[in-house]
Amino acid sequence: MSWRIQFSQHGTAEVLQWQEQPDTPLAADAVRVRLQAIGVNFIDCYYRSGLYPVASLPSGLGSEGAGVIEAVGSAVQGWQVGERVAYATAPLGAYAEYQDVPPGCLLRLPEQISCEQAAAGLLKGLTVQYLLRQTYPVQAGQHLLWHAAAGGVGLLACQWARALGARLIGVVSSPAKAALALQHGAWAVIDRSCEDVRERVLELTDGQKCPVVYDSVGQASWSTSLDCLQPRGLLVSFGNASGPVEGVNLGLLAQKGSLYVTRPSLFHYANSPTALQQMADELFGLVASGQLQLQASQRLALRDAAQAHRLLQSGQSSGSLVLLP
């Protein structure tokens, strides 16, 4: 027997249950991982709340974890019991002591990266990789605007943009978060609690605005993001922390400068084992060179997953949350 977090109905963090689960036979095409650390991400809240659909209820939660291979299915090749692995694109169920994972989702952990570091930063790091390197390949010297710059994804983006020589302008919600974003490599910060984001972007870019804006906030920041773009600029909307963007008037894109909008997903970029490995190699390379730091800012016991979700959605947390079985 082992334990996991599950939910039987959609709702607030209170629907998360600490549930014992019986041992089941390992499928021939799966790998069983004994988890040592589990990543908590905003997408987990979307599945829990019902914003994103799940296959059936009750359902497990979480797609990111790191640990040690406990068993290998009879049809699986290339993986061995005892190997340290991490994953960020697995089916839901990582909030658990053990998870059976398709081998195509697995990545071997380099020696210098701990399981806790991987759980804190793999999904977020892969997200920053596809956003900065594929969705819009950022160039040295370019300005870019990044909402929620002191969050787990945002702090990695600050570091990665600095490594690329780009000028990341981070939007934050408090002086403490502004200091944190600057510490992690933001070129400049805007505290939206006391500054006008549109005006500050104009000042910081000498009236030129930004060729790209990265927005994980959604509904509350949509209009502001459009106003911070240069003509023919790209709004990358990759999250809905304040609620989904709905009722979009496409005519606004023409009025504000023939703007582009995309709503990307990691799963459409890391859509094969080869693509996933290439993205991870770049991430791990930056970590090995010291240009990128993967670390958890807060750690909670696995059974306290509901508290982790409350912290994440309250806006009070910064950096990465990790659950420990």
Side-chain angles (χ1 to χ4, degrees):
M1 302 291 285
S2 62
W3 292 82
R4 75 166 186 168
I5 294 291
Q6 69 175 36
F7 59 105
S8 299
Q9 62 183 30
H10 295 294
T12 63
E14 281 62 40
V15 302
L16 298 181
Q17 305 164 325
W18 180 239
Q19 182 71 37
E20 193 172 20
Q21 58 180 349
D23 295 332
T24 57
L26 178 62
D29 59 351
V31 173
R32 181 162 293 168
V33 178
R34 174 169 49 86
L35 287 151
Q36 296 184 352
I38 299 142
V40 180
N41 299 284
F42 230 102
I43 193 172
D44 303 341
C45 301
Y46 300 157
Y47 283 116
R48 187 211 70 224
S49 68
L51 180 62
Y52 289 179
V54 298
S56 62
L57 294 173
S59 172
L61 193 59
S63 60
E64 178 181 36
V68 177
I69 293 179
E70 185 82 4
V72 178
S74 59
V76 174
Q77 297 182 346
W79 298 97
Q80 303 294 326
V81 171
E83 286 189 285
R84 296 170 63 250
V85 296
Y87 52 89
T89 57
L92 296 182
Y95 286 21
E97 294 178 329
Y98 295 86
Q99 186 180 14
D100 294 352
V101 181
C105 298
L106 293 177
L107 294 163
R108 287 183 176 87
L109 275 184
E111 290 184 5
Q112 67 269 32
I113 298 179
S114 69
C115 287
E116 185 175 303
Q117 286 178 302
L122 182 57
L123 180 62
K124 298 171 183 67
L126 292 173
T127 298
V128 174
Q129 196 281 341
Y130 87 76
L131 291 173
L132 292 183
R133 304 286 286 143
Q134 299 186 68
T135 303
Y136 184 96
V138 171
Q139 304 297 315
Q142 282 186 319
H143 292 102
L144 61 109
L145 187 69
W146 195 289
H147 290 274
V153 175
L155 292 181
L156 288 178
C158 290
Q159 297 174 65
W160 206 314
R162 177 174 59 185
L164 293 171
R167 299 176 177 181
L168 185 147
I169 302 169
V171 181
V172 298
S173 59
S174 70
K177 290 187 175 183
L180 192 61
L182 287 170
Q183 177 186 339
H184 282 75
W187 178 74
V189 293
I190 301 171
D191 183 350
R192 60 179 173 80
S193 69
C194 59
E195 296 180 287
D196 185 284
V197 175
R198 298 172 177 86
E199 291 182 3
R200 285 292 291 142
V201 166
L202 283 171
E203 293 171 2
L204 290 166
T205 63
D206 295 325
Q208 297 301 303
K209 301 185 182 181
C210 298
V212 61
V213 173
Y214 295 95
D215 189 341
S216 62
V217 176
Q219 186 182 76
S221 56
W222 167 258
S223 178
T224 297
S225 292
L226 293 178
D227 287 341
C228 292
L229 283 167
Q230 298 173 357
R232 294 185 291 172
L234 174 65
L235 171 53
V236 183
S237 177
F238 68 101
N240 314 286
S242 67
V245 177
E246 298 176 334
V248 175
N249 176 5
L250 292 179
L252 282 176
L253 303 182
Q255 294 172 24
K256 292 180 180 294
S258 296
L259 304 179
Y260 294 88
V261 176
T262 185
R263 182 61 174 86
S265 167
L266 169 63
F267 301 98
H268 296 138
Y269 287 84
N271 58 358
S272 71
T274 299
L276 175 62
Q277 187 64 60
Q278 289 173 345
M279 294 167 68
D281 286 345
E282 185 172 5
L283 170 64
F284 291 153
L286 286 173
V287 174
S289 69
Q291 297 179 85
L292 204 63
Q293 301 293 320
L294 300 181
Q295 57 187 5
S297 58
Q298 292 177 278
R299 303 163 185 82
L300 292 91
L302 172 58
R303 67 187 306 153
D304 295 328
Q307 176 62 12
H309 278 221
R310 284 190 287 268
L311 285 170
L312 194 63
Q313 292 191 282
S314 70
Q316 298 174 9
S317 67
S318 59
S320 299
L321 287 166
V322 168
L323 299 174
L324 303 177

